[in-house]
Amino acid sequence: MKKIFVLFLTLIMLAGISSCGSNGTSNTDNQSSKSGTATQNSGNTNKILVAYFSYSGNTKTVAEKIQKNTNAEIFRIETKEDYPSDYDDVVDKAQQEQDENARPELKSKIENLDDYDVIFLGYPNWWGTMPMALFTFLEENNLDGKTIVPFCTHEGSALGRSEDDIKSLCSKSTIKEGLAIRGSDVNADDTDSEINKWIENLNL
């Protein structure tokens, strides 16, 4: 009788151990799945920053989509002097700055830029290239050895000559193929897939 009772207790204990092992495996699988998704979004172990300048909000929208896709950190490039609220005045101001080869003063700097391997650099196309504030940003920050990925919003001029200007300012950086999105399309249904495909093809 004792032997049967002991055997019965042993079977109960074994069943309990088996049940715990099954639950542990299930938790591990769930954690692996979450970790795998994060890795897939970020692409690799490179630390990524999305730095952008936006006037109307279109470039900001694209920047946030890129940030979401890459699990990057984000930084908004802003000038100390605000641009006019009237669009025509902004156009005139942008042309004046370009004619004068101006370097608008920026509100803030990135203190830990050395931490990043890849910089997504965003801007609207103003008069065929990036706003002069981006020239300030690139000249004030040492991006030697880093990978720069341009993206811009536009209304017909695409990236213009901005990629060449970035290559000239950052001759010791790797410049990847940029992306140009028409400002009126930033919230279009197929824009997300276009951005995702572009990032995937970058092989960062």
Side-chain angles (χ1 to χ4, degrees), residues 6-73:
V6 171
L7 179 60
F8 180 74
L9 288 177
T10 302
L11 289 173
I12 292 176
M13 291 175 63
L14 288 173
I17 293 171
S18 175
S19 176
C20 290
S22 175
N23 289 338
T25 302
S26 176
N27 290 338
T28 302
D29 288 345
N30 289 337
Q31 290 171 359
S32 296
S33 176
K34 291 177 182 178
S35 176
T37 301
T39 302
Q40 183 179 0
N41 286 340
S42 61
N44 56 24
T45 57
N46 284 334
K47 191 165 184 183
I48 300 174
L49 174 71
V50 178
Y52 72 95
F53 172 90
S54 184
Y55 170 72
S56 67
N58 288 334
T59 307
K60 178 178 184 287
T61 298
V62 177
E64 289 173 346
K65 291 177 184 291
I66 294 171
Q67 178 197 23
K68 181 178 179 181
N69 181 285
T70 59
N71 288 334
E73 295 182 19

Side-chain angles (χ1 to χ4, degrees), residues 82-151:
D82 292 335
Y83 285 93
S85 57
D86 180 78
Y87 179 77
D88 290 335
D89 291 341
V90 172
V91 170
D92 292 341
K93 178 69 173 177
Q95 185 176 38
Q96 179 186 351
E97 288 181 345
Q98 192 173 120
D99 290 344
E100 296 174 354
N101 198 26
R103 296 295 186 269
E105 190 175 357
L106 304 182
K107 278 187 179 181
S108 59
K109 295 184 178 181
I110 304 172
E111 300 298 333
N112 60 332
L113 192 60
D114 289 342
D115 294 345
Y116 302 100
D117 306 298
V118 178
I119 313 292
F120 280 86
L121 187 68
Y123 46 89
N125 183 328
W126 283 1
W127 293 101
T129 188
M130 53 192 175
M132 300 311 293
L134 272 292
F135 286 76
T136 304
F137 177 82
L138 293 177
E139 289 177 351
E140 287 186 350
N141 294 286
N142 182 6
L143 303 182
D144 291 356
K146 298 186 185 297
T147 297
I148 301 175
V149 190
F151 65 95

